[in-house]
Amino acid sequence: MKWFYLGLIGLLIVYASHVTGCGQTASDSTTTTTSTTSTTLAFSISSSAFSNNGNIPTIYANTDVTGGMNTSIPLSWSSPPSGVVKYALSIIDTSASNFGHWLVVNMPSDTTSLAAGASSSGMPSGSTQITNEFMTAGYGGPEPSHADAAHNY
């Protein structure tokens, strides 16, 4: 099996073992181009809740933030390479020593999106949410202090 990690808010793709060669070039934080030995594939991940490099709306922040509801962000992805076996998702705050906000493994290969709030209800069958840095399984929204500059996810 081949493993590729795509983006800071990214998906890890598990390829069938017949795929050979790999390379990856990130064009921005939500779109990544992955190359195999003979084909270039455009694989991207995005959220309908905010634009690339935009602010994450308060509803998706942790409950310690005024107005935060700790609702997991909606995500969708498109143009996966052929041979995907499973997906894994990670949302990492690189501005806070790589703080893990959401880690999911074993999402079926036919999964193409997660709705807002999926972490608490509506994860794909067979997927597993891993314990995050808040020491809970599932999504843990951002909660940077007011003194902090913007954080990158």
Side-chain angles (χ1 to χ4, degrees), residues 4 15 19-24 33-41 81-82:
F4 294 94
Y15 282 90
V19 175
T20 59
C22 68
Q24 89 182 15
T33 303
T34 300
S35 299
T36 62
T37 53
S38 61
T39 309
T40 299
L41 304 168
S82 62

Side-chain angles (χ1 to χ4, degrees), residues 52-78:
N52 186 34
N53 295 318
N55 291 330
I56 298 173
T58 304
I59 190 174
Y60 305 107
N62 209 303
T63 55
D64 290 342
V65 174
T66 302
M69 302 287 293
N70 205 43
T71 301
S72 58
I73 61 175
L75 296 170
S76 63
W77 48 95
S78 61

Side-chain angles (χ1 to χ4, degrees), residues 53-147:
N53 295 318
N55 291 330
I56 298 173
T58 304
I59 190 174
Y60 305 107
N62 209 303
T63 55
D64 290 342
V65 174
T66 302
M69 302 287 293
N70 205 43
T71 301
S72 58
I73 61 175
L75 296 170
S76 63
W77 48 95
S78 61
S79 303
S82 62
V84 171
V85 177
K86 300 276 184 183
Y87 290 108
L89 167 74
S90 65
I91 297 183
I92 307 295
D93 181 350
T94 60
S95 302
S97 301
N98 295 322
F99 190 95
H101 285 270
W102 197 12
L103 306 167
V104 183
V105 296
N106 292 328
M107 285 191 291
S109 61
D110 61 351
T111 305
T112 58
S113 65
L114 296 172
S119 178
S120 59
S121 62
M123 292 301 294
S125 179
S127 63
T128 302
Q129 297 184 85
I130 307 297
T131 301
N132 60 34
E133 301 285 342
F134 294 106
M135 302 309 295
T136 60
Y139 178 79
E143 60 174 14
S145 75
H146 294 296

Side-chain angles (χ1 to χ4, degrees), residues 42-60:
F43 178 80
S44 65
I45 182 171
S46 61
S47 178
S48 60
F50 55 95
S51 62
N52 186 34
N53 295 318
N55 291 330
I56 298 173
T58 304
I59 190 174
Y60 305 107

